[in-house]
Amino acid sequence: MKVHNPMISYHSLEGGKSDRVMGVDAHPDVCQGVVVFATVGGGGSGEVRIWSIAPGDEQPKFRSALAKGHDGSVNCARWAPDGCRLASAGDRGTVCLWRGGSDAAWWCELDEKNERARCDHLNHADDVYDVAWSPCGKWLLTGAIDGAATVWDTCTRRPVKVLRDHAHYIQGVCWDPLGSYLATASSDRSLKVYELPPKWHASKKNLKTTTVRWWTDPHEIPQKKGKKTAEEPKAKPRSALFASETAHASFFRRLCASADGSLIITPGAASKDNAKGSVTLSRTQLDRGPVSFLPSPDGSATACRACPALIEGGSSSLVAVCAHDAVAVYDVSSNSPRALASGLHYAALTDAAWAADASLLIVASADGYLSFLRFEPGDLGAKCAAPPRVPLPAGLDDLPRAPPAPQKDDDVVLVGVTPAPPQAPSTPGGAPASPAGSAKKKKRIAPTLLAPPTPVKSPAKSPAKEPAPEADAAPPAKKKKRIAPTLLSAVP
């Protein structure tokens, strides 16, 4: 194993300082050993940057940047299984679906060909910490800090299921590689596993949920509510399986499923003697507690990423566990690491990504740098084999493929919205105006008598008024009135 830690500023802040790297993921297509990967930063620039590294290179090369999709910090980025879409999630509830070609070379030549990846938006109510694709690439699972995990249909961009079973932040989500379940981890110190029956996406019923919260010990009896009798044995307090927010000082609890889908590996766990690490849980025996405990080499574990290839003929799976300043590659069938690297960074590790051929492991840190762990043939196992690919369910062959050429020169073009058919102009009354030559005849409606008419008395006829004199005619002369004299007193 060879470790390289090039001093490259993958995301820069104002003033030239290096921004923290919050997430990293590798493209599923590896051509001639060249690994293409995406990084996201937490400084608020909102860019998703594409890089590539060849087998003989110690430093990656910058290829392109996906800008104008986020307005704030970006916390996670994950490629779809088909490689033609990249999902990035960040603060303010923004989830971007970048669409392009299925091969890695298309993403590397964006700036050279002056092309742009098209972007769809999924809006959450609050910040999104983690995303996970379904094995067929039809649905996307997102987890937000409002305690809601949402399953989105990436073709219609509408939510299919909204899971509100957590009481606090959701810090990690994962989807079973075989498509039979999905899981979420939260800062409320619990793990939720949801079964996916056939046609679950078309059913309105709630998914069957299993909660894992405690260490299972036959000597520990769960405490019962109510009054205790003298015959009842004294119950011991149960031990919590996951560490509290104070002990787990990280934004993320990025869990994963093994390559064969039989195990769930969850970070942020704490043993009964307060040892920090990760736990593996059997998918079929969740009620029996952890199968094994993977101790963390340094501090609390923040992220687990399963190796996409099976080793030793498919009898075992590998998982990379990121701690505060160390990364260990475990075989899930044993508690001893097959590879260990520590002292790589000055800040906590945030994420990790495997190359599709398991030849390279990329580790991201909050100090703004990446570490590259290269494995020679035979370092991890005698034989590597790819896990079986989950076929697309029947009736879901409408997945978006490589987009057509954009019609505008903008960096971001919203797609997935079918333009409405042209409508006829409306009249002032609100009704659409009919075209010339096709005017409809008015339909005559016969009146209906609802009640007999009420008789109304006719008013008395008033005497006819004399016509008013014309304005030009002279007014008639007034006659003088003669007054008869009255004798008041006689004259002597």
Side-chain angles (χ1 to χ4, degrees):
M1 180 183 69
K2 297 181 181 180
V3 181
H4 302 285
N5 190 357
M7 302 299 291
I8 296 178
S9 180
Y10 297 89
H11 295 269
S12 301
L13 297 172
E14 295 181 0
K17 294 184 178 181
S18 182
D19 187 13
R20 52 186 177 174
V21 181
M22 305 297 285
V24 61
D25 196 47
H27 194 276
D29 178 30
V30 178
C31 182
Q32 298 180 355
V34 179
V35 178
V36 178
F37 60 95
T39 60
V40 292
S45 62
E47 286 188 351
V48 181
R49 297 190 176 183
I50 310 298
W51 308 77
S52 68
I53 184 170
D57 297 340
E58 295 185 359
Q59 294 185 358
K61 297 180 181 179
F62 172 74
R63 293 297 186 176
S64 59
L66 307 178
K68 297 184 180 180
H70 293 273
D71 186 14
S73 175
V74 188
N75 301 321
C76 184
R78 294 290 183 264
W79 295 95
D82 55 7
C84 67
R85 288 162 297 165
L86 174 65
S88 59
D91 292 350
R92 303 181 183 178
T94 303
V95 180
C96 294
L97 299 180
W98 306 93
R99 297 178 54 194
S102 59
D103 54 343
W106 188 92
W107 298 89
C108 293
E109 299 173 355
L110 285 177
D111 291 349
E112 297 178 2
K113 295 182 178 181
N114 196 21
E115 294 184 1
R116 293 292 180 266
R118 313 189 79 176
C119 180
D120 297 341
H121 284 89
L122 309 177
N123 294 323
H124 253 278
D126 218 325
D127 301 349
V128 181
Y129 275 177
D130 202 10
V131 299
W133 286 91
S134 63
C136 64
K138 169 71 174 180
W139 299 286
L140 181 70
L141 174 63
T142 58
I145 65 174
D146 59 354
T150 307
V151 181
W152 300 85
D153 188 334
T154 58
C155 295
T156 61
R157 295 186 296 169
R158 293 183 178 180
V160 179
K161 296 286 184 180
V162 180
L163 312 173
R164 300 183 182 274
D165 298 320
H166 285 288
H168 214 256
Y169 301 163
I170 294 181
Q171 298 177 311
V173 296
C174 79
W175 206 301
D176 170 32
L178 302 181
S180 60
Y181 67 88
L182 52 88
T184 59
S186 171
S187 56
D188 62 2
R189 307 175 72 177
S190 69
L191 171 72
K192 305 283 185 180
V193 181
Y194 301 88
E195 295 185 6
L196 299 178
K199 298 183 180 180
W200 60 269
H201 51 86
S203 175
K204 295 183 179 180
K205 296 181 179 180
N206 296 331
L207 300 178
K208 184 180 179 181
T209 309
T210 303
T211 303
V212 181
R213 190 185 298 270
W214 311 100
W215 283 93
T216 302
D217 193 339
H219 299 286
E220 294 180 355
I221 303 175
Q223 297 180 358
K224 297 182 179 179
K225 296 182 179 181
K227 296 182 179 180
K228 297 180 181 180
T229 61
E231 298 179 358
E232 292 184 1
K234 206 170 189 181
K236 297 180 180 179
R238 290 189 293 180
S239 302
L241 182 59
F242 300 102
S244 62
E245 271 302 285
T246 306
H248 184 77
S250 175
F251 292 110
F252 311 115
R253 299 174 191 249
R254 287 173 169 164
L255 68 162
C256 68
S258 57
D260 55 1
S262 61
L263 298 176
I264 304 175
I265 304 94
T266 308
S271 64
K272 296 181 180 180
D273 55 355
N274 293 328
K276 299 178 181 179
S278 305
V279 291
T280 58
L281 301 167
S282 175
R283 170 64 190 87
T284 58
Q285 298 177 351
L286 292 174
D287 55 340
R288 296 189 178 183
V291 176
S292 61
F293 180 78
L294 308 179
S296 177
D298 182 15
S300 180
T302 58
C304 298
R305 294 299 299 269
C307 181
L310 300 175
I311 64 171
E312 297 179 357
S315 61
S316 181
S317 300
L318 296 178
V319 59
V321 178
C322 296
H324 179 74
D325 189 23
V327 56
V329 179
Y330 282 95
D331 184 348
V332 294
S333 61
S334 63
N335 295 342
S336 59
R338 292 202 175 190
L340 176 64
S342 60
L344 303 176
H345 297 273
Y346 294 101
L349 304 183
T350 56
D351 202 2
W354 285 92
D357 57 357
S359 62
L360 181 67
L361 176 63
I362 308 172
V363 181
S365 173
D367 61 3
Y369 299 101
L370 301 179
S371 294
F372 300 88
L373 284 68
R374 287 197 174 275
F375 301 98
E376 299 295 333
D379 289 348
L380 299 178
K383 184 180 179 180
C384 293
R389 179 72 182 272
V390 177
L392 190 66
L396 298 179
D397 53 353
D398 55 345
L399 288 178
R401 298 302 177 188
Q407 300 178 358
K408 299 181 180 181
D409 296 334
D410 300 337
D411 291 335
V412 178
V413 181
L414 297 180
V415 298
V417 180
T418 306
Q423 299 180 355
S426 58
T427 59
S434 58
S438 61
K440 295 182 180 180
K441 296 182 179 180
K442 294 183 179 181
K443 186 177 181 180
R444 299 181 63 86
I445 302 175
T448 304
L449 181 63
L450 300 178
T454 304
V456 180
K457 294 182 180 181
S458 59
K461 295 183 179 180
S462 57
K465 297 181 180 179
E466 297 181 357
E470 297 180 2
D472 298 335
K478 294 183 180 181
K479 296 181 179 181
K480 293 182 179 180
K481 187 177 181 181
R482 298 179 66 87
I483 301 174
T486 303
L487 181 62
L488 298 178
S489 60
V491 178

